[in-house]
Amino acid sequence: MSTEPHEDDAKVARPASTQPDAAELEASLRALPPRYEPNALLRWLYRRFFDRIEVDPAWTEMVRQAAARGTVVYALRNLSLLDFLALDHLTKRYGLPQVRFANNLGLWILEPFGKGVQHALRPRRREDDVEDLRAAVTRGESAAVFLKRPPTVLAGSATGRGLLEGDDFLHELVELQRRRTAGGDTRPIIVVPQLFVWTKRPDTRQRSIVDAVLGTREWPGAVRTAGQFLLNYRDVTVRAGEPLDLRQFLVNEDQEAETGRAATDVVVRRVVYLLLKRLERERRVIVGPVVKASDRIVEEIVRTPRVRKVIDELAGEGARERFIVEARARSMLREMAAAMEPDVIKAFGSLMEAIFHRIYDGLEIDMPGIERVREAARKGTVILLPSHKSHVDYLLVSYVLWRNAITPPLIAAGDNLTFFPMGPIFRRAGAFFIRRSIGTDRLYSAVLDAYVHKIVREGYSIEFFLEGGRSRTGKLLAPKLGLLGMVVDAAYELPSRTVYFVPISIGYERVVEAKSYVRELSGGEKEGESVTGLVRALRVLAERYGRLNLQFGEILTLDRIRSDVEATATRGGGASAFVPKRAIVARLGHQITYEINRATAVTGGSLVALSLLTHPGRGVPHSVLERTCARLLATLDHLGARVQPSVRGEGGGPSLRAITDALALFVSAGWVEVHDEEGAVEEASPLFRPFGRSRKKAIEQDDAPEPVYVVPDEKRLSVDLSKNVIIHFFVPYALICTALLVAPGPATRRALLRERVQRLSRLFKFEFMFRADATYDEIFDRTLADLSAQGTLVASAPGGSQEGEEALIDVAAGEEARALVSLYAATIASFLEGYRVVARTLSMLLKQPKGVAQKDLIKRAISVGKRMALAGEVTRREGICRPVLENAVSAFLDQGYLAKSEGKLVLPASFATISAVKAIESRVASYLSTGAQVLASAVPEAE
Amino acid sequence: MAKTGERALSFWGWGWADKFPDDDARRGIAVQVAALLGFDGLVPHAPPTLESAKVPTPRVSVPEALGAFCTNDREQRIRHTYGRSYRDLVRGFSGDFSPAPDLVAHPRDEDDVALLLQWAAATKIAVVPYGGGTSVCGGVEADFGASGGRYHGTVSLDMTRLDRVLEVDRTSRAARIQAGAKGPQLEAQLAEHGLTLRHFPQSFEFSTLGGWLATRAGGHYATLYTHIDDLVESMRMVTPTGIWESRRLPASGAGPAPDRLVLGSEGIFGVITEAWMRVQQRPRYRASASVHFGGRVQGGANDEAISYARAVDATRAIAQAGLHPTNCRLLDAREAALNFVTGPENQEGSHVLILGFESADHACDAWIDRAVAIAASHGGVVPRGVVKKDDGAKTEGAGAASTWKAAFLEAPYLQSVLVSLGAVVDTFETACTWDAFPKLHAEVHRAVTEAMKEQCGGGRLSCRFTHVYPDGPAPYYTFIAPSRAGMQLEHWWAIKRAASDALMRCGATITHHHAVGRLHRPWYERERPDTFARVLRAAKNEVDPASIMNPGVLIE
């Protein structure tokens, strides 16, 4: 033992007041173990590889903070030279506390002539190591402790579990911490669970020969580690688990212990357990659950009591029938089950990267949201519920999670996507396939249910689309609760596990499928998915689709929903009753939808689309467009909507860049025509910039006529898809403003307004999703108050009170308020027009007393709508759109204007006259007439 | 199973493995063929071995309940991979067995068949019924093209364990025979009763009754009972949704005949398990003759064409005379040479019409005499005279006729040998009216010769009539062209396509008795009425809703 003091000794800050005890004294006298100093060649090698490791800034920040508070000790799971070398390199590179001690590494192999050799020549005992650790930590230096040693052939390999290695060292750390605390030293020892994931391949239950020779992935041998590293070093993930403050931990332990002082052995065991658990959680977030062979999964599912029961019932007595029914169940499972392969995900990742860069101008991801998902994945099982507007959604979420070192989910897909060869590829990327219609096949529903239970139980993240299919209109569809119910069921059966429901909004400025959607919306049929369709879709690659964004809503848990539902139930005066599961599922579904809507980010495209379509005239002059965008954005800000960062300009309003980018996108798609000063249409080109350098200058100097933008009638539906993405933000305002503008116009008594708005909301109950967690009156009052607070509406009462139901609600004074009211009302005008078209079409039923199939009525409505548009009775073509018309039919059925008889639509007796049918139309039309007039007067002429 | 007694079948080529000649013998054949056809460059390539064959690992494991009669044994799967078309021989010879089925089933009884079909329907496993595996049009191959992704696996359903004659009704002269019985087996069992089916296709030794029925095989009789259709009384078929059995009737006028839908259905509805067949007494009286036409008797450039036209006229006259010869096969000069039926005493390059009559009841002298007289009136000569036989005595020395019979059964072996020598050699057959024949013959000749010249630099096309009808012949063409390893399939396909297109252009059928399978489907689709295609699809959908039965055959 060298007695020469090490140069670093001087730096050790010791509180002067404390008296070191004997052991500590000895430790401080003992030479610090040497730092690991690789020779030049090794240094080069390490730099070559370890510098490629992508380091998460959150990690360095966290370690730095811990170091500022106390002494950092890194806890790693399995004894691994590679882990140590990487840790050593990274701590040096990022200036983090450096490792002065690591247990049982046999480092001298790497440096036969270095300082380490001195250690090596002398047989080392465990006590030496402990003393070295004590020496390092006592002087405030950092250390690395490996908690487990790999199983050897002689001991422990049968269980595949490692041997505990770190107990002695943690024992020492606990002792040191106790001494520190006793000595009045407040600096804690902070143990940071440190994790390197060299391969994102999940573990498997099957052991191969490779595993036997090289060690399993979980317990890689030296060769396997090196191999994994060389294959994956670009892709290595460095993460730290939640740090453990030993001082605080001891305080808590002591409080709980009956004697007031917890036994050290017990504490050590708990610390090790806790660290291993945190490490394991962190690892599972990245690599996902242990993968079982698919045959085994199938067998386990077929043997579940639920499936067994159905098989027994269907098969009856015969062994032969049972064999056939079981074979059917297995076959269903094979068609259903995902077979995720990390290599495919990785390949998809690269492909997606290439495609995204080609067709999209950027991918904006809600990073705090990602961290919330990671936290949820650490604690439990994650169910990802994105909005669904495009087939691109399928891959996007997986890709984003994979990029952020969170294990990608299994994705529920419709079995229309199983076509060859994409089916097998999607399956390997994690898709599982569900029949579009389950029908009455009991075996199938039992098998599906069991499969969902199984994957939840195994701990996979699951992604599915609550809407059940792609929304063709841009609005969220009403949630389909079947699959959600199965997941909730599974969650109920795992009380020890928290299941987190993550609402995700995926926003597009221009949807890839817009063209086929428009065809479907205006009456065409959906085409099946096929290889030829896919090849045709390659044309997509030649165009641009603006920016993509991914937003995470508030993560929900079942507990929260349950207490919410109970709260709502008791608010009505009822006692806290048992809440049926069905109610929970329905509420959860609606809450997720609501959260997705809330999380939806405002994009330049949606803002411009809304501005273009709410404009009453044919063309929108540039300055008017800009002003409308600014108004809308201000309202959205007021509502607390998330806004894509790129949309925001310097002054907080919309940036000119965002508006022109969106316009360029629409122009290149042929959705918007630009008319220049002479009124001629400019050449549509993807390079369109409304502000070429010269023109921009001209406009700024106010000496040139500005361009006018026109959406051709037949393209309004395409633009509408982008508009509808944010329409839900405006719906509550729009309902009130529309009701307010009904002839003879404002001012209107609050009670009357309340009634009108309620009628209107009921009419639109299939069109828009309303909040489920408040009553109609509450929402009405809140929204009205909001509009008044904004200064858009004012309430005045004859008696002076502004609160009562007799108070008169009016548009506030001034141009701005009038403009806003008209603008809000205009956001839903196209829907009213669509409903009006259906009302007109109802007259066809007068001639058909036996009724008409809904399909035929819609078909007729589309042609009636086209004629009304030609006659100028309908000015917003986007209202003549299949889902809107269908919703209108549902609403009319709900209102009693229509009835169903033998599956066909008929007029009920009370409406079966021409005048009654006309009355229906005029009711709907009454919401439209004055609105347009007020609006027209509110829009200033373009200068 | 694949072995009959001690004698092993070739796993890639035609028939018995021991009949495949060794290298020296093949070199000899190469020389002989080269001399006969006028091209050389044929080199014997080493035949493949079972060990070297490339087979994918099975995707399906054997379910316990089917373990008693199902296997995924590698050799079994190799043996059930292909039929025996030219394409199959070339792929087999190269050791490529990638379309091998995942399982091979050898059901022991009809129950086994039904269970297997139910299991397959439940688990989306395609079932390819397999009799003797002698299909020359891709009828037993598990290659489903684009729809292959729909299936989780394939099972080859080998029917050869069901090989018994179950019942004989002497009064009506009919026998109930299981579908897996091969020609010699069923003939041997019928012989115990002094009966015979008398259906001798070229594949007689190896093909099964079920296969004959499912593909509407053409047999021994050159006229009258040309197809197996004419010999069947009733059939029993297992479909995935139940049993299909028709009534035993000599004839019926009650609507469309159910048997007509089963005959030639090529396994798309189900598996034929047994049938009542019309059998006969063994013939006692026979008469045969070989009539030679033309050759170089007159000299001049068009001799061969003129004499062939005369031979065709003679054949038509005999076919229309109501004599119903058992054998009435016209071999053109090249075909005759290839089958070695030209004797030294005969003029080189003459066309040969082989005539034969047989009866268990009466001597056929009058019929053969009349037939020969008709032939003679068209310029035919009978160098070896007419041979007339009565009972037991072996029909030896019947001149070309017996040589023909031997050559007939040997021909497929020769094809295998030629494949191993790197040649393109295949046959195709059709039927057309007498009226259309001259144009068809010229068109086929032109198309095939051109294709062979373009692909292989030359080759030989020969023709014979396998069957004749009062209104038209069934010409059967053989083409041989030199090729080289690796290019064989490409060359062959170009020639095959040219030939098939020519058939369609001339209004002939794509097949007279080889069946449609997967190979002929593109042309079959042009031949059949579209409405009928819809009917066929609907019928299949009804009995096989999971669409597991031999997918890709006949319809998509």
Side-chain angles (χ1 to χ4, degrees):
Chain A
M1 199 201 297
S2 160
T3 50
E4 219 172 73
H6 196 276
E7 52 176 359
D8 280 0
D9 286 13
K11 286 187 198 161
V12 179
R14 300 276 313 280
S17 61
T18 55
Q19 196 63 38
D21 67 16
E24 207 170 343
L25 198 62
E26 197 201 322
S28 64
L29 289 175
R30 189 186 167 98
L32 264 177
R35 204 195 303 250
Y36 174 56
E37 269 158 18
N39 61 36
L41 178 67
L42 287 171
R43 264 207 304 278
W44 174 81
L45 253 178
Y46 296 158
R47 253 210 310 280
R48 163 91 177 67
F49 290 112
F50 293 137
D51 277 359
R52 301 277 190 124
I53 297 177
E54 268 184 46
V55 173
D56 182 358
W59 174 70
T60 48
E61 190 45 40
M62 208 255 313
V63 176
R64 246 182 229 121
Q65 276 176 11
R69 280 171 51 217
T71 309
V72 171
V73 174
Y74 304 96
L76 294 93
R77 184 156 174 265
N78 301 339
L79 200 54
S80 152
L81 184 57
L82 188 58
D83 282 9
F84 168 78
L85 294 176
L87 180 64
D88 186 68
H89 181 83
L90 292 177
T91 48
K92 283 173 184 159
R93 177 154 182 238
Y94 290 95
L96 302 172
Q98 284 172 26
V99 179
R100 294 304 288 261
F101 166 83
N103 51 325
N104 199 13
L105 275 175
L107 265 184
W108 59 275
I109 297 172
L110 279 174
E111 285 213 80
F113 304 108
K115 292 177 192 163
V117 83
Q118 292 154 15
H119 283 293
L121 291 176
R122 204 162 50 84
R124 279 185 76 72
R125 296 164 301 132
R126 178 51 59 94
E127 291 76 47
D128 292 336
D129 273 349
V130 173
E131 279 168 26
D132 276 350
L133 173 68
R134 189 186 305 148
V137 175
T138 308
R139 299 185 199 187
E141 294 287 337
S142 186
V145 174
F146 291 93
L147 300 174
K148 283 179 159 190
R149 193 144 36 92
T152 63
V153 180
L154 291 177
S157 68
T159 59
R161 293 167 67 173
L163 304 171
L164 284 181
E165 157 78 23
D167 281 15
D168 291 343
F169 304 101
L170 281 163
H171 196 279
E172 183 58 32
L173 287 177
V174 169
E175 289 291 320
L176 278 170
Q177 180 65 55
R178 279 210 194 284
R179 248 176 275 146
R180 265 195 193 180
T181 315
D185 185 347
T186 55
R187 286 173 312 143
I189 295 175
I190 296 173
V191 187
V192 178
Q194 183 60 49
L195 180 73
F196 290 88
V197 178
W198 301 105
T199 167
K200 287 179 188 166
R201 235 165 223 294
D203 309 326
T204 57
R205 279 277 150 80
Q206 282 166 322
R207 300 266 183 256
S208 66
I209 293 190
V210 179
D211 292 341
V213 176
L214 302 180
T216 61
R217 293 204 181 88
E218 206 181 344
W219 288 106
V223 176
R224 189 163 201 157
T225 310
Q228 282 177 0
F229 174 71
L230 288 175
L231 281 175
N232 299 302
Y233 68 89
R234 275 166 235 273
D235 205 28
V236 176
T237 310
V238 188
R239 297 216 67 85
E242 192 188 333
L244 182 83
D245 182 333
L246 262 189
R247 195 173 76 104
Q248 194 57 41
F249 188 78
L250 278 173
V251 170
N252 294 347
E253 286 294 305
D254 288 347
Q255 271 171 7
E256 275 179 31
E258 285 170 12
T259 55
R261 186 184 163 86
T264 309
D265 282 349
V266 176
V267 175
V268 167
R269 225 175 303 132
R270 298 191 57 166
V271 170
V272 170
Y273 172 76
L274 203 63
L275 288 172
L276 285 175
K277 198 169 128 193
R278 285 181 186 176
L279 281 169
E280 183 58 17
R281 263 188 202 158
E282 208 61 45
R283 214 172 84 85
R284 286 281 162 242
V285 168
I286 298 163
V287 302
V290 176
V291 168
K292 291 181 180 171
S294 65
D295 278 357
R296 183 171 157 184
I297 293 260
V298 166
E299 281 315 307
E300 283 177 2
I301 292 174
V302 172
R303 296 199 192 299
T304 53
R306 205 179 312 232
V307 175
R308 277 254 77 90
K309 187 162 158 270
V310 176
I311 289 178
D312 285 348
E313 283 173 29
L314 290 177
E317 293 290 298
R320 207 185 146 115
E321 283 75 14
R322 166 181 301 272
F323 165 67
I324 297 296
V325 177
E326 274 188 19
R328 267 183 62 209
R330 285 201 183 88
S331 163
M332 285 169 178
L333 277 166
R334 262 194 300 273
E335 274 169 22
M336 187 183 296
M340 204 192 304
E341 281 179 22
D343 289 341
V344 174
I345 306 250
K346 205 165 155 179
F348 253 113
S350 329
L351 184 69
M352 297 285 285
E353 220 141 275
I355 291 179
F356 283 153
H357 283 138
R358 192 174 175 89
I359 69 173
Y360 292 111
D361 295 325
L363 181 55
E364 297 186 1
I365 297 164
D366 163 20
M367 288 313 288
I370 290 272
E371 288 311 313
R372 280 185 287 131
V373 174
R374 192 194 308 284
E375 187 57 34
R378 240 177 235 149
K379 290 191 289 196
T381 296
V382 175
I383 311 293
L384 302 154
L385 301 145
S387 59
H388 195 18
K389 297 194 170 56
S390 166
H391 279 321
V392 175
D393 298 334
Y394 276 110
L395 308 166
L396 186 66
V397 175
S398 294
Y399 165 71
V400 167
L401 294 184
W402 178 79
R403 282 289 299 165
N404 286 285
I406 300 177
T407 185
L410 298 186
I411 309 163
D415 66 356
N416 52 335
L417 292 178
T418 51
F419 65 88
F420 189 80
M422 291 321 285
I425 297 177
F426 286 146
R427 198 184 291 280
R428 286 178 176 80
F432 62 98
F433 296 97
I434 300 179
R435 289 189 195 160
R436 303 289 286 181
S437 58
I438 292 172
T440 53
D441 190 341
R442 286 181 53 216
L443 184 62
Y444 189 81
S445 43
V447 163
L448 174 60
D449 193 46
Y451 180 73
V452 171
H453 274 68
K454 184 82 199 165
I455 56 181
V456 172
R457 187 176 285 272
E458 294 281 315
Y460 284 101
S461 313
I462 304 173
E463 172 187 341
F464 61 92
F465 301 104
L466 207 51
E467 297 167 84
R470 289 170 299 162
S471 159
R472 266 63 164 172
T473 59
K475 283 186 308 175
L476 278 191
L477 305 176
K480 306 271 184 303
L481 302 175
L483 197 51
L484 188 67
M486 290 181 188
V487 173
V488 169
D489 259 349
Y492 267 95
E493 281 178 19
L494 295 167
S496 60
R497 179 111 53 95
T498 314
V499 176
Y500 295 92
F501 296 87
V502 184
I504 301 174
S505 159
I506 303 175
Y508 299 89
E509 286 193 289
R510 181 185 160 198
V511 177
V512 171
E513 290 102 326
K515 204 175 225 168
S516 65
Y517 286 174
V518 168
R519 197 185 53 241
E520 279 177 52
L521 294 175
S522 44
E525 290 299 323
K526 176 183 187 293
E527 280 179 22
E529 278 73 18
S530 66
V531 180
T532 39
L534 197 75
V535 171
R536 233 178 294 138
L538 289 180
R539 263 186 253 152
V540 159
L541 294 180
E543 294 190 42
R544 308 288 296 180
Y545 295 86
R547 286 191 180 78
L548 257 175
N549 74 74
L550 196 74
Q551 302 284 333
F552 296 88
E554 191 184 330
I555 298 178
L556 304 169
T557 61
L558 281 180
D559 285 343
R560 201 196 116 179
I561 295 295
R562 200 182 298 131
S563 60
D564 277 5
V565 175
E566 277 165 5
T568 321
T570 46
R571 202 187 318 165
S576 171
F578 168 74
V579 181
K581 197 155 58 188
R582 206 142 31 98
I584 302 265
V585 173
R587 181 58 167 275
L588 178 62
H590 281 102
Q591 197 64 32
I592 291 164
T593 306
Y594 177 74
E595 283 296 334
I596 295 175
N597 263 339
R598 226 165 54 108
T600 300
V602 177
T603 62
S606 54
L607 208 56
V608 170
L610 189 56
S611 307
L612 287 169
L613 293 186
T614 47
H615 187 76
R618 249 185 80 66
V620 191
H622 181 83
S623 58
V624 175
L625 181 77
E626 227 178 278
R627 206 174 316 147
T628 313
C629 284
R631 279 187 185 127
L632 292 171
L633 187 60
T635 306
L636 288 163
D637 282 339
H638 178 81
L639 289 166
R642 296 187 195 184
V643 177
Q644 228 178 14
S646 55
V647 172
R648 186 99 49 200
E650 281 167 23
S655 77
L656 193 59
R657 175 74 198 278
I659 294 177
T660 55
D661 276 359
L663 276 169
L665 195 67
F666 293 161
V667 169
S668 72
W671 295 353
V672 170
E673 290 169 359
V674 184
H675 293 253
D676 61 14
E677 41 271 46
E678 274 86 45
V681 180
E682 288 190 6
E683 197 72 15
S685 108
L687 298 174
F688 162 81
R689 283 272 168 253
F691 296 93
R693 193 170 293 164
S694 60
R695 183 142 73 183
K696 182 172 183 185
K697 216 172 181 181
I699 287 186
E700 277 166 0
Q701 289 165 4
D702 245 4
D703 62 356
E706 54 183 339
V708 174
Y709 308 116
V710 174
V711 182
D713 274 349
E714 68 279 9
K715 297 296 180 194
R716 289 184 73 97
L717 207 43
S718 308
V719 181
D720 198 47
L721 300 185
S722 298
K723 172 202 110 177
N724 280 340
V725 171
I726 54 168
I727 185 143
H728 59 272
F729 287 114
F730 295 94
V731 169
Y733 286 180
L735 293 178
I736 288 182
C737 292
T738 302
L740 192 65
L741 294 179
V742 168
T748 309
R749 282 188 307 117
R750 182 195 272 262
L752 182 61
L753 192 64
R754 183 188 296 277
E755 197 190 313
R756 271 192 204 152
V757 171
Q758 186 161 21
R759 272 213 301 272
L760 206 48
S761 336
R762 197 171 152 207
L763 187 66
F764 281 138
K765 83 182 219 194
F766 301 96
E767 196 69 59
F768 304 115
M769 233 86 60
F770 299 105
R771 298 181 65 150
D773 55 354
T775 64
Y776 165 73
D777 283 328
E778 281 168 11
I779 298 173
F780 175 81
D781 290 334
R782 215 179 297 158
T783 313
L784 194 59
D786 204 17
L787 279 167
S788 310
Q790 253 187 68
T792 310
L793 297 183
V794 286
S796 62
S801 156
Q802 294 174 7
E803 294 299 312
E805 287 300 285
E806 292 305 311
L808 284 176
I809 310 295
D810 199 353
V811 179
E815 189 75 357
E816 189 62 21
R818 279 173 58 198
L820 276 175
V821 169
S822 310
L823 184 58
Y824 294 155
T827 56
I828 61 166
S830 68
F831 297 97
L832 282 166
E833 289 191 340
Y835 281 47
R836 185 179 173 189
V837 167
V838 175
R840 172 82 55 95
T841 313
L842 292 184
S843 64
M844 87 183 273
L845 293 175
L846 289 169
K847 291 170 223 144
Q848 306 267 358
K850 282 205 177 139
V852 171
Q854 166 151 348
K855 215 175 79 189
D856 296 326
L857 187 82
I858 300 291
K859 213 182 274 173
R860 170 68 79 88
I862 289 174
S863 62
V864 167
K866 278 180 187 155
R867 278 206 307 277
M868 288 172 75
L870 289 175
E873 288 179 281
V874 167
T875 53
R876 299 169 180 88
R877 281 276 187 109
E878 66 271 27
I880 310 163
C881 147
R882 192 191 281 263
V884 173
L885 303 175
E886 281 166 355
N887 286 336
V889 170
S890 305
F892 289 173
L893 276 166
D894 181 60
Q895 306 255 340
Y897 300 157
L898 270 176
K900 269 213 164 150
S901 151
E902 290 170 14
K904 292 193 162 182
L905 295 171
V906 293
L907 287 171
S910 51
F911 285 100
T913 63
I914 184 74
S915 56
V917 169
K918 283 199 168 142
I920 299 175
E921 190 192 332
S922 62
R923 257 180 230 182
V924 176
S926 70
Y927 293 112
L928 280 164
S929 51
T930 42
Q933 285 164 22
V934 174
L935 190 72
S937 66
V939 173
E941 282 299 303
E943 290 98 87
Chain B
M1 289 181 239
K3 293 172 184 170
T4 310
E6 291 300 301
R7 212 173 169 192
L9 288 163
S10 168
F11 71 93
W12 68 271
W14 183 266
W16 305 113
D18 57 37
K19 291 196 76 168
F20 186 73
D22 62 19
D23 283 4
D24 280 346
R26 284 196 288 148
R27 221 164 282 134
I29 293 172
V31 172
Q32 217 175 338
V33 170
L36 203 58
L37 302 178
F39 52 74
D40 46 27
L42 297 180
V43 198
H45 298 275
T49 60
L50 266 175
E51 292 69 35
S52 67
K54 288 187 285 293
V55 198
T57 48
R59 292 167 291 174
V60 187
S61 52
V62 183
E64 212 175 302
L66 305 178
F69 63 95
C70 273
T71 174
N72 55 11
D73 173 66
R74 180 169 177 276
E75 182 179 338
Q76 284 296 324
R77 292 174 55 226
I78 289 176
R79 289 183 177 279
H80 288 83
T81 304
Y82 293 126
R84 287 295 176 261
S85 71
Y86 176 74
R87 192 165 65 129
D88 299 339
L89 297 176
V90 172
R91 288 182 295 178
F93 191 75
S94 71
D96 168 18
F97 288 87
S98 46
D102 301 289
L103 299 180
V104 177
H106 291 93
R108 300 155 297 181
D109 52 28
E110 201 180 79
D111 263 8
D112 283 353
V113 176
L115 181 64
L116 185 85
L117 294 198
Q118 281 179 34
W119 168 75
T123 48
K124 281 270 172 69
I125 304 273
V127 177
V128 178
Y130 187 98
T134 56
S135 168
V136 289
C137 50
V140 295
E141 180 183 339
D143 173 11
F144 312 135
S147 58
R150 295 221 306 266
Y151 303 99
H152 295 140
T154 318
V155 54
S156 181
L157 177 52
D158 184 320
M159 294 293 289
T160 50
R161 269 201 200 172
L162 303 174
D163 61 355
R164 307 308 305 161
V165 171
L166 299 171
E167 216 176 315
V168 173
D169 173 353
R170 294 196 66 93
T171 317
S172 318
R173 238 177 45 195
R176 182 155 74 96
I177 309 172
Q178 287 187 305
K182 293 181 178 174
Q185 291 167 338
L186 71 85
E187 282 296 340
Q189 292 176 65
L190 287 172
E192 291 168 16
H193 303 271
L195 296 171
T196 173
L197 179 62
R198 292 204 87 54
H199 179 77
F200 304 115
Q202 201 162 29
S203 59
F204 173 75
E205 270 187 284
F206 309 104
S207 53
T208 61
L209 174 65
W212 300 340
L213 291 167
T215 60
R216 302 183 66 188
H220 168 71
Y221 293 104
T223 62
L224 214 57
Y225 310 120
T226 53
H227 285 101
I228 191 82
D229 310 21
D230 304 308
L231 303 175
V232 67
E233 194 176 65
S234 108
M235 275 185 278
R236 192 173 157 91
M237 175 169 78
V238 178
T239 76
T241 47
I243 303 283
W244 171 320
E245 186 173 19
S246 60
R247 204 172 259 216
R248 277 187 65 197
L249 291 170
S252 164
D259 287 350
R260 284 279 159 194
L261 205 52
V262 177
L263 287 163
S265 62
E266 303 189 18
I268 64 168
F269 296 137
V271 187
I272 300 165
T273 50
E274 57 182 60
W276 275 97
M277 301 302 296
R278 296 175 182 133
V279 292
Q280 7 207 327
Q281 282 179 311
R282 306 189 79 74
R284 177 177 161 190
Y285 305 96
R286 300 168 207 261
S288 61
S290 316
V291 188
H292 293 237
F293 288 89
R296 298 198 179 121
V297 274
Q298 292 172 332
N302 280 329
D303 284 358
E304 201 180 308
I306 293 167
S307 57
Y308 189 61
R310 271 200 262 119
V312 171
D313 282 348
T315 313
R316 174 167 61 89
I318 293 169
Q320 291 174 340
L323 295 167
H324 303 315
T326 312
N327 204 350
C328 181
R329 296 191 157 89
L330 174 62
L331 284 63
D332 75 2
R334 289 200 180 93
E335 184 83 17
L338 202 61
N339 286 290
F340 312 109
V341 290
T342 38
E345 72 276 20
N346 171 37
Q347 308 94 325
E348 186 89 356
S350 63
H351 315 289
V352 181
L353 172 62
I354 299 167
L355 288 169
F357 290 86
E358 60 181 40
S359 167
D361 180 70
H362 49 263
C364 307
D365 302 9
W367 285 266
I368 187 103
D369 290 346
R370 176 61 196 139
V372 168
I374 293 174
S377 73
H378 286 83
V381 294
V382 188
R384 283 210 192 166
V386 177
V387 179
K388 296 165 183 170
K389 289 276 165 187
D390 178 1
D391 198 21
K394 278 272 166 204
T395 42
E396 280 160 16
S402 67
T403 316
W404 154 251
K405 192 171 171 187
F408 177 65
L409 292 176
E410 293 297 316
Y413 287 105
L414 182 61
Q415 190 190 18
S416 294
V417 172
L418 289 171
V419 165
S420 80
L421 298 174
V424 170
V425 49
D426 200 7
T427 61
F428 60 92
E429 26 73 75
T430 182
C432 65
T433 56
W434 288 115
D435 176 48
F437 176 69
K439 184 172 166 256
L440 172 90
H441 191 62
E443 184 67 18
V444 165
H445 207 274
R446 189 191 57 73
V448 174
T449 312
E450 266 177 24
M452 287 195 296
K453 192 161 176 60
E454 190 178 304
Q455 298 292 323
C456 311
R460 292 270 238 148
L461 176 74
S462 61
C463 172
R464 66 175 189 258
F465 293 167
T466 58
H467 302 79
V468 289
Y469 302 86
D471 53 344
Y476 186 107
Y477 293 93
T478 303
F479 58 86
I480 307 182
S483 181
R484 54 180 193 279
M487 294 303 290
Q488 281 166 300
L489 284 183
E490 197 177 304
H491 292 163
W492 163 79
W493 181 235
I495 301 166
K496 171 85 184 165
R497 207 168 42 212
S500 304
D501 288 344
L503 295 181
M504 285 301 108
R505 272 203 301 281
C506 300
T509 177
I510 187 62
T511 175
H512 174 262
H513 58 266
H514 279 174
V516 175
R518 293 174 175 84
L519 201 53
H520 290 149
R521 213 183 69 204
W523 295 281
Y524 174 63
E525 280 168 2
R526 282 157 68 180
E527 182 178 328
R528 73 179 172 205
D530 281 345
T531 8
F532 180 65
R534 294 213 310 274
V535 170
L536 213 52
R537 258 184 225 116
K540 177 173 172 67
N541 207 24
E542 196 56 43
V543 294
D544 176 24
S547 197
I548 50 156
M549 293 308 304
N550 216 6
V553 160
L554 285 181
I555 50 177
E556 270 170 68

